[in-house]
Amino acid sequence: MKAFLGMGLLGSNFVKAMLKKGEMVQVWNRTAARATALEAFGAKVFTDVADAVRGADVVHLVVKDDAAVEEVLEAASAGFEPGAVIIDHTTTTADGAVARTKYWKEKGFTYLHAPVFMGPANALESTGFMLVSGDQETVARLEPQLATMTGKVLNFGPEEGRAAAMKLLGNAFLVTLTAGLADTLSLAKAMDVPLDDLSTLFHSWNPGTMLHARMQRMSKGTYSDPSWELNMARKDTGLFIKAAQAAGAPLAVIPSIAAEMDKWIARGHGSDDWTVIGKDAVTL
């Protein structure tokens, strides 16, 4: 028997996928209506979180943050079966994941933080990526059942909290990517470039293919053999800003990047590769 706590878009689709595979799942959600909606799919619904975990040897949860995880687990703990396994898919701090692993172990339970790079559709289709780290015997024991929930389980080794850190890093990239894309779309509008043309450009020229090479170049910390000089990159950045200002188009991140470039140019790095602006992030 499994229990699942938190019936948001991700949790509810995880449950639907489990039910399709013939598993028995007990569910709970703070807003009861979201849990009740799963009855039609075969889930057993509880309004009390401690009741929802009774009889379950594995308890999954996806809630908002560290505070919500701790609140829900404490409330549920009155119903935990001896030796129950807690698998937490919530995006949290690394420190929180480390502390909870220790806390629940001392109480006789296994806690594994397993955040995901999965949208609701992935949860329903059992595709995407699930991240784990920590005690490798625990990971090895639980990985087969986790693999049924996702396309791939990524094991980041024995360090507690590493999976949480990797999830935050991935989300940080997604946030900055989206903000940068918003600026690009705003600039396209400012220059009267149709979105279809921009789509054609990115379909043919995929900058995503440059990510690994760019990261490798930055991590080496060598910038004296430029492929794009910082001075030239700053010149182009000025053109972005000028075009946007002329059209009254908002830019969220490009002005901040320009300011950072100016700092590095003032330090004498204008002739270096423009990736030098990330030097402090990759060198001690």
Side-chain angles (χ1 to χ4, degrees):
M1 176 66 72
K2 292 182 178 179
F4 213 113
L5 313 178
M7 293 295 100
L9 294 176
L10 199 63
S12 61
N13 276 2
F14 270 135
V15 169
K16 289 175 186 177
M18 290 175 177
L19 294 169
K20 283 182 180 180
K21 294 168 186 165
E23 298 185 54
M24 298 178 64
V25 190
Q26 301 177 169
V27 302
W28 170 90
N29 192 72
R30 193 185 305 274
T31 303
R34 290 187 176 181
T36 304
L38 274 297
E39 283 184 320
F41 296 89
K44 191 171 182 180
V45 179
F46 292 84
T47 57
D48 183 274
V49 68
D51 290 338
V53 302
R54 286 193 173 92
D57 53 353
V58 179
V59 177
H60 293 265
L61 74 156
V62 183
V63 290
K64 181 181 179 182
D65 52 22
D66 289 270
V69 171
E70 289 164 12
E71 179 185 348
V72 169
L73 289 180
E74 281 297 334
S77 62
F80 284 162
E81 294 297 311
V85 174
I86 304 162
I87 303 176
D88 181 10
H89 306 289
T90 308
T91 299
T92 70
T93 63
D95 287 345
V98 172
R100 285 186 291 276
T101 302
K102 181 176 183 292
Y103 178 82
W104 290 107
K105 182 177 181 179
E106 290 173 350
K107 288 185 173 292
F109 304 101
T110 297
Y111 172 93
L112 180 68
H113 190 228
V116 300
F117 287 116
M118 299 169 68
N122 298 115
L124 187 61
E125 298 165 0
S126 301
T127 60
F129 297 88
M130 186 173 292
L131 319 181
V132 293
S133 67
D135 180 76
Q136 292 297 283
E137 290 185 7
T138 298
V139 170
R141 176 164 54 90
L142 297 177
E143 189 168 354
Q145 62 177 289
L146 297 179
T148 67
M149 298 174 65
T150 184
K152 189 168 185 178
V153 178
L154 302 179
N155 182 354
F156 286 98
E159 186 173 335
E160 306 288 358
R162 180 57 57 85
M166 298 307 296
K167 168 63 174 176
L168 291 178
L169 288 171
N171 279 8
F173 181 81
L174 292 177
V175 167
T176 53
L177 173 66
T178 302
L181 183 56
D183 272 12
T184 302
L185 293 171
S186 188
L187 186 59
K189 183 178 180 180
M191 297 190 296
D192 296 320
V193 174
L195 295 185
D196 284 348
D197 284 356
L198 189 60
S199 180
T200 297
L201 172 64
F202 287 138
H203 180 72
S204 300
W205 171 67
N206 179 8
T209 61
M210 305 176 187
L211 177 60
H212 182 70
R214 181 64 51 81
M215 189 171 175
Q216 289 292 103
R217 183 184 185 102
M218 293 176 72
S219 65
K220 288 179 181 178
T222 303
Y223 309 96
S224 58
D225 182 23
S227 61
W228 192 19
E229 287 187 358
L230 177 56
N231 282 328
M232 295 303 292
R234 179 62 180 89
K235 180 267 295 182
D236 287 359
T237 302
L239 296 178
F240 310 155
I241 295 171
K242 184 177 180 180
Q245 288 176 337
L251 295 176
V253 296
I254 289 176
S256 295
I257 295 170
E260 189 66 20
M261 288 176 167
D262 289 340
K263 290 179 185 178
W264 285 91
I265 290 171
R267 295 179 190 177
H269 293 279
S271 297
D272 287 339
D273 190 83
W274 81 283
T275 57
V276 71
I277 66 173
K279 183 177 179 180
D280 290 344
V282 297
T283 58
L284 296 178

